[in-house]
């Protein structure tokens, strides 16, 4: 039996734009209102998927969501034809309108939390879509994310799908961005590490003062219960509130783990020593490589600007690991020097590959934000909808699809164009046929 970590990357949607919607996310705020390129954003994402496929990884594709989200505008009282709904909202409530146009579902690390069958009580792979309550534009995603995941993992013998947690800040859940799994082998029970930003029911506990902590301890616990994880498989660790206040809005901006490696910044967590001892104890006899980056090597500011930790840490076919980093890391001399040195040290990390995902980076989404990891064995992989698995043919087909439907440029003002809704729906309707996911969008239901 073989075991794989499959990366399901979000396909960038046709409305990809920079609206400055994410308070606490430095890149989103600083690029607000600049002109985006949906076409190159989608192609940058596809190029990364294809490169990982060519490196021998099993790579999947996760469909974007329907935007502008007319159904939400109707729920908020805008009425008339679809074009009238859009025009009234754009005029009367431009902030709401921009939020319902966001292509933020591209960051599939926030689509769900996933626990592999090796960790769960019933042996199934469990999925819980993230409710993303902290940001209005992202809180629109979970229902459709759930539908898309069901269409991809559509076999209840192997896959269990849960409803997202209650839509309330007490249960704020950002999915896999705050969840890492360490294991000796993808098929063995691992340690699931849930990182949270604050306690929902105890305001005496540490919390950031400037920017929001999106994930709560109580939400992380609820996910572990739903997925049937044992206490011996689970560790809860709090993010350092001081780094959230410096722009670390998700833990995957400051730490990433894979198999027996935890790559993290020294300031990432609270109570690091005790919590890492707990991780090691629960991991077992084999030593975990805790690869710590000191502030003197790379500052938190450099980490936030370059996304050094929003990298993918992949196990290659020869058992060594490679880092998939954004080109921003290469362009920063301190981070580039750190990575050049890292691959010579005594850790499993041996290679660094740089990718241009600048269109996504300008909204605070690096290589790791763009993917949802699902560890699967052969039988489970065979039960996944095969049309969402990347290969040369799908790559060519999706590039043609992007060329046909996507705009080269999009400004925030262009979002008002009713034609964009038609373009987006036409594109997505065709995509559901390419990916064979059936009717998942409100306009199709
Ligand atoms: O939730 N940006 C996203 C970026 C998500 C990154 N994901 C992970 N770290 N896993 C967010 O803040 C910005 C949209 C805008 O401003 O137009 C945005 O939603």
């Amino acid at each position: 039996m073989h075991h794989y970590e499959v990366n399901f990357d979000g396909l960038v949607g046709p409305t990809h734009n920079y609206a400055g919607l994410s308070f606490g996310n430095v890149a989103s705020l600083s690029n607000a209102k600049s002109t985006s390129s949906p076409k190159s954003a989608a192609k940058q994402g596809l190029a990364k998927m294809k490169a990982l496929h060519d490196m021998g990884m099993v790579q999947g594709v996760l469909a974007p969501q329907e935007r502008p989200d007319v159904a939400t505008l109707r729920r908020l009282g805008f009425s008339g034809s679809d074009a009238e709904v859009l025009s009234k909202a754009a005029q009367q409530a431009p902030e709401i309108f921009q939020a319902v146009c966001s292509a933020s579902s591209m960051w599939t690390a926030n689509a769900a939390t996933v626990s592999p069958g090796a960790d769960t009580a019933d042996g199934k792979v469990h999925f819980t879509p993230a409710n993303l309550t902290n940001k209005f534009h992202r809180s629109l995603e979970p229902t459709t994310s759930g539908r898309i995941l069901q269409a991809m993992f559509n076999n209840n013998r192997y896959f269990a799908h849960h409803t997202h947690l209650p839509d309330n800040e007490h249960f704020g859940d950002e999915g896999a961005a705050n969840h890492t799994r360490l294991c000796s082998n993808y098929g063995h029970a691992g340690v699931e590490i849930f990182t949270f930003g604050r306690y929902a029911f105890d305001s005496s506990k540490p919390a950031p003062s400037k920017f929001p902590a999106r994930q709560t301890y109580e939400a992380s616990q609820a996910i572990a219960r739903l997925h049937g994880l044992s206490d011996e498989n689970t560790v809860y660790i709090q993010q350092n509130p001081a780094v959230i206040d410096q722009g670390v809005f998700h833990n995957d901006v400051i730490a990433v783990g894979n198999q027996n490696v935890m790559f993290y910044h020294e300031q990432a967590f609270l109570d690091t020593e005790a919590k890492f001892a707990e991780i090691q104890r629960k991991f077992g006899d084999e030593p975990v490589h805790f690869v710590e980056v000191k502030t003197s090597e790379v500052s938190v500011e450099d980490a936030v600007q370059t996304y050094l930790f929003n990298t993918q840490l992949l196990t290659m076919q020869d058992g060594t690991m490679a880092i998939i980093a954004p080109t921003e890391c290469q362009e920063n001399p301190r981070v580039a020097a750190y990575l050049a040195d890292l691959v010579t040290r005594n850790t499993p990390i041996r290679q660094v590959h740089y990718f241009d995902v600048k269109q996504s980076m300008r909204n605070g989404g690096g290589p790791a934000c763009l993917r949802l990891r699902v560890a699967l064995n052969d039988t489970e992989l065979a039960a996944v909808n095969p049309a969402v698995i990347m290969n040369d043919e799908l790559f060519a087909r999706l590039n043609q699809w992007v060329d046909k439907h996507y705009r080269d440029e999009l400004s925030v003002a262009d979002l008002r164009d009713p034609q964009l809704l038609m373009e987006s729906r036409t594109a997505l309707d065709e995509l559901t046929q390419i990916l064979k996911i059936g009717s998942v969008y409100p306009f199709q239901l």
Side-chain angles (χ1 to χ4, degrees), residues 182-330:
L182 300 184
C183 58
S184 53
N185 173 303
Y186 292 123
H188 295 166
V191 183
E192 298 210 11
I193 305 166
F194 289 85
T195 310
F196 59 94
R198 68 186 171 92
Y199 291 84
F201 291 93
D202 187 349
S203 53
S204 69
K205 293 269 176 59
S209 51
K210 187 172 161 204
F211 291 145
R214 298 195 197 184
Q215 177 98 24
T216 68
Y217 173 62
E218 291 79 357
S220 300
Q221 278 192 315
I223 301 287
R225 271 192 300 271
L226 284 167
H227 291 195
L229 305 181
S230 78
D231 287 346
E232 273 313 295
N233 276 44
T234 311
V235 175
Y236 301 94
I237 180 165
Q238 185 166 2
Q239 261 192 292
N240 178 358
V243 297
I244 297 180
D245 280 339
Q246 289 171 75
V248 181
F249 57 97
H250 286 138
N251 183 61
D252 67 4
V253 175
I254 198 95
V256 55
N258 174 50
Q259 292 193 325
N260 60 350
V261 174
M262 181 76 173
F263 178 49
Y264 69 104
H265 192 275
E266 84 171 302
Q267 293 187 53
F269 303 105
L270 287 186
D271 206 11
T272 313
E273 204 177 317
K275 285 291 165 184
F276 280 18
E278 184 184 343
I279 292 171
Q280 179 63 74
R281 183 175 61 73
K282 293 182 172 175
F283 189 85
D285 296 336
E286 193 194 318
V288 174
H289 293 266
F290 291 104
V291 182
E292 180 181 81
V293 181
K294 298 268 184 214
T295 307
S296 56
E297 294 173 299
V298 176
S299 65
V300 173
E301 193 187 353
D302 276 343
V304 170
Q305 266 172 19
T306 63
Y307 270 35
L308 167 62
F309 299 95
N310 200 264
T311 41
Q312 291 177 255
L313 198 50
L314 303 177
T315 304
M316 301 284 93
Q317 276 161 343
D318 66 2
T320 64
M321 291 190 198
I323 285 191
I324 304 299
T327 42
E328 281 74 0
C329 289
Q330 200 174 20

Side-chain angles (χ1 to χ4, degrees), residues 369-384:
C369 300
L370 286 162
R371 62 93 170 94
L372 181 67
R373 295 188 272 189
V374 185
L376 298 167
N377 63 31
D378 287 315
T379 322
E380 292 158 348
L381 180 58
V384 177

Side-chain angles (χ1 to χ4, degrees), residues 17-22 25 28 102 104 107 109-110 137-138 177 214 249-250 252-253 310 363-365 369:
N17 73 92
Y18 302 119
L21 300 173
S22 280
N25 169 342
S28 157
S102 177
S104 54
W107 300 296
N110 308 115
H137 70 290
R138 302 225 59 186
R214 298 195 197 184
F249 57 97
H250 286 138
D252 67 4
V253 175
N310 200 264
N363 254 337
C369 300

